[in-house]
Amino acid sequence: MAMQPWFPEAKLGVFLHYGIYAVDGVWESWAFYTGQVPHERYMKQLDGFTASRYDPAAWADLFARAGARYAVLTARHHDGVALWDTAQGDLNVVRHTPAGRDLVAGYADALRDRGLKVGLYYSHSDWNHPDYASAVHPSPRKEGVADNPFASARPGEEDPEAWARFLAYREAQVGELVDRFRPDLLWFDGEWERTEEQWRMRELRDLVLAKNPETVFNARLLGHGDYATPEQGVPLRAPEGPWELCLTVNDSWGFQHEDTNHKPVRLLVRYFAETIGMGGNLLLGVGPREDGAIPAEQAARLEGLGGWIAKHREAVYGTGAGMPAGHHYGPSTLSADGRTLYLVCFDPPRENVGVRGLRNRVRRVSVVGSGTELAHRVVGGHGKVPGVLWIDAPAAADTDEYATVLAVELDGELDLYRGAGRTV
């Protein structure tokens, strides 16, 4: 199945880790898995999960103002607590928390009302399911998996029948999500604890596509996904094919009371520009409080990023990856017709902005947002080796607080010289 065209065109998504772990503000699921808190104390958070300020329409409005085109909600994390009234098992917020209602349906409806694509996160692993720790990965890539009682059977105690029951439960839950909510994107996780064959990944993908052939999958289907998901760090080179950088606004996926290390808007703009400049999407993570409210500090970051995107939307939407590193000191994007190059300047340009290796004749250069035209000229060059394009720096009034963008209109599709220069 070909990648759905909306995904690479989306540029920005919002990642919501929302669950009972927000009550005490502990590490989502991992807190009991690693022994940070006792399992009983972790599960006691069910009693404090109210969703009393859960307002998915307000979420969707915020995401739209941020410039996002999709969002991803943790329908079920590794702790096995479902945010919808699943018929599979008994562990969900509808039956066992004061919230007492389905939190996925309202989210899906609100996003669609705002024209946003609906993504749902689902963990293959379930550290609370009685049948989960019945198999063992033969060579897990993460330390501690084979020895953790929440993840793996003890040596000699594997139970294939229990594992088959678990897979049936997982496939039934995923089927519920697709049937009830018709997600545009399924964001899987937890794949490292079993092999592709143990997980029956191909069969899971086929099950979903039989119900909704247009579903987009992330890469955590072990060879059966549609796009790569580097996490918390911009790659030095773009992954093959479509991809998405997963990045938190602070240092945590879910809400944690003590984590006040929120990235400034300027830094988020840099991450975003670098990501789209390499052809990827940014999936920006926020953690709602247990009552469903997104912390004001995180909402402000989304609003700030959205303001920059709105001002520079022509350099964002409808563009692809720009020039490779070395042609311009900063990221760039390229219009769909290949005839307009957008140069991102993180610091206010001084005197000139240079572009190297550009074979095209430049028709016009202007500042995105103000439209001010800038003088430009080519210096040097010999034979097949083009000279350097020098663009006069914009006046201070035309620069942006976070990153200034220059539109370079070309006489044809972008044509770059990538050689070593003329030697004598």
Side-chain angles (χ1 to χ4, degrees):
M1 185 192 73
M3 165 61 79
Q4 295 300 309
W6 70 262
F7 181 82
E9 294 171 2
K11 307 304 180 186
L12 180 67
V14 178
F15 207 176
L16 294 136
H17 277 66
Y18 185 40
I20 66 168
Y21 36 84
V23 174
D24 291 342
V26 296
W27 196 6
E28 62 284 341
S29 302
W30 294 92
F32 74 83
Y33 182 90
T34 62
Q36 182 185 55
V37 301
H39 179 263
E40 182 179 0
R41 176 180 153 195
Y42 181 94
M43 299 309 295
K44 184 69 176 172
Q45 293 177 105
L46 288 164
D47 297 337
F49 187 75
T50 67
S52 59
R53 296 175 62 195
Y54 169 73
D55 184 349
W59 282 5
D61 286 344
L62 173 62
F63 304 160
R65 292 195 302 274
R69 297 289 177 87
Y70 66 107
V72 178
L73 172 67
T74 49
R76 181 177 74 64
H77 208 265
H78 316 314
D79 60 12
V81 181
L83 296 189
W84 78 101
D85 189 14
T86 176
Q88 308 302 317
D90 192 47
L91 189 54
N92 62 75
V93 300
V94 182
R95 298 178 219 172
H96 291 289
T97 74
R101 64 192 188 282
D102 183 319
L103 301 178
V104 177
Y107 156 85
D109 290 344
L111 260 61
R112 290 197 169 105
D113 286 346
R114 288 303 309 251
L116 305 180
K117 297 295 185 180
V118 175
L120 294 177
Y121 167 112
Y122 184 87
S123 173
H124 298 292
S125 56
D126 182 341
W127 297 329
N128 264 311
H129 195 283
D131 290 324
Y132 182 66
S134 59
V136 181
H137 191 300
S139 55
R141 63 182 176 85
K142 288 198 173 188
E143 275 188 45
V145 169
D147 300 327
N148 193 299
F150 293 111
S152 302
R154 287 180 291 192
E157 295 186 10
E158 294 87 349
D159 185 343
E161 291 184 0
W163 181 246
R165 287 195 301 270
F166 176 79
L167 290 179
Y169 148 84
R170 180 202 57 165
E171 289 167 9
Q173 278 202 328
V174 171
E176 284 181 351
L177 292 176
V178 178
D179 287 339
R180 293 193 200 178
F181 311 117
R182 305 286 298 175
D184 302 287
L185 184 155
L186 280 171
W187 210 103
F188 287 106
D189 200 11
E191 80 292 346
W192 61 86
E193 292 195 332
R194 302 289 186 268
T195 65
E196 175 192 344
E197 294 75 19
Q198 286 174 310
W199 283 127
R200 291 171 48 89
M201 290 299 197
R202 180 181 294 278
E203 291 84 350
L204 180 64
R205 179 184 171 96
D206 290 347
L207 178 152
V208 173
L209 292 179
K211 294 173 178 289
N212 183 8
E214 296 184 348
T215 307
V216 173
F217 302 91
N218 72 335
R220 301 181 190 194
L221 273 174
L222 296 176
H224 301 286
D226 298 315
Y227 70 92
T229 56
E231 192 170 307
Q232 294 286 49
V234 177
L236 294 179
R237 57 180 178 82
E240 293 292 328
W243 63 282
E244 167 192 80
L245 171 65
C246 313
L247 181 78
T248 50
V249 168
N250 54 3
D251 293 331
S252 310
W253 294 109
F255 174 73
Q256 295 196 24
H257 301 271
E258 304 301 320
D259 187 354
T260 59
N261 190 30
H262 295 92
K263 298 173 180 67
V265 174
R266 185 183 311 278
L267 189 58
L268 294 177
V269 167
R270 287 188 176 231
Y271 273 111
F272 179 68
E274 289 172 357
T275 300
I276 66 172
M278 289 196 291
N281 290 352
L282 178 63
L283 185 63
L284 192 56
V286 298
R289 300 174 186 273
E290 65 80 17
D291 62 8
I294 293 175
E297 301 89 344
Q298 299 191 0
R301 267 66 178 183
L302 291 178
E303 298 264 15
L305 177 58
W308 185 87
I309 291 174
K311 179 180 176 182
H312 302 95
R313 60 182 302 110
E314 70 173 87
V316 175
Y317 305 118
T319 68
M323 298 180 294
H327 290 274
H328 159 63
Y329 291 114
S332 60
T333 60
L334 185 65
S335 62
D337 65 5
R339 290 172 173 262
T340 303
L341 188 62
Y342 297 99
L343 310 176
V344 181
C345 304
F346 290 134
D347 299 312
R350 297 178 59 188
E351 295 187 11
N352 303 106
V353 174
V355 181
R356 291 156 180 79
L358 186 63
R359 287 195 176 109
N360 303 80
R361 184 177 65 83
V362 174
R363 298 175 56 198
R364 183 174 184 268
V365 180
S366 60
V367 181
V368 176
S370 72
T372 301
E373 189 165 350
L374 302 175
H376 57 88
R377 61 203 167 280
V378 175
V379 176
H382 193 284
K384 295 182 179 179
V385 183
V388 177
L389 170 68
W390 292 105
I391 303 166
D392 285 0
D398 282 316
T399 60
D400 184 83
E401 178 183 5
Y402 302 125
T404 303
V405 182
L406 309 182
V408 181
E409 299 173 30
L410 310 173
D411 65 349
E413 293 186 17
L414 177 66
D415 183 11
L416 292 177
Y417 173 74
R418 299 283 290 159
R422 182 177 184 273
T423 58
V424 178

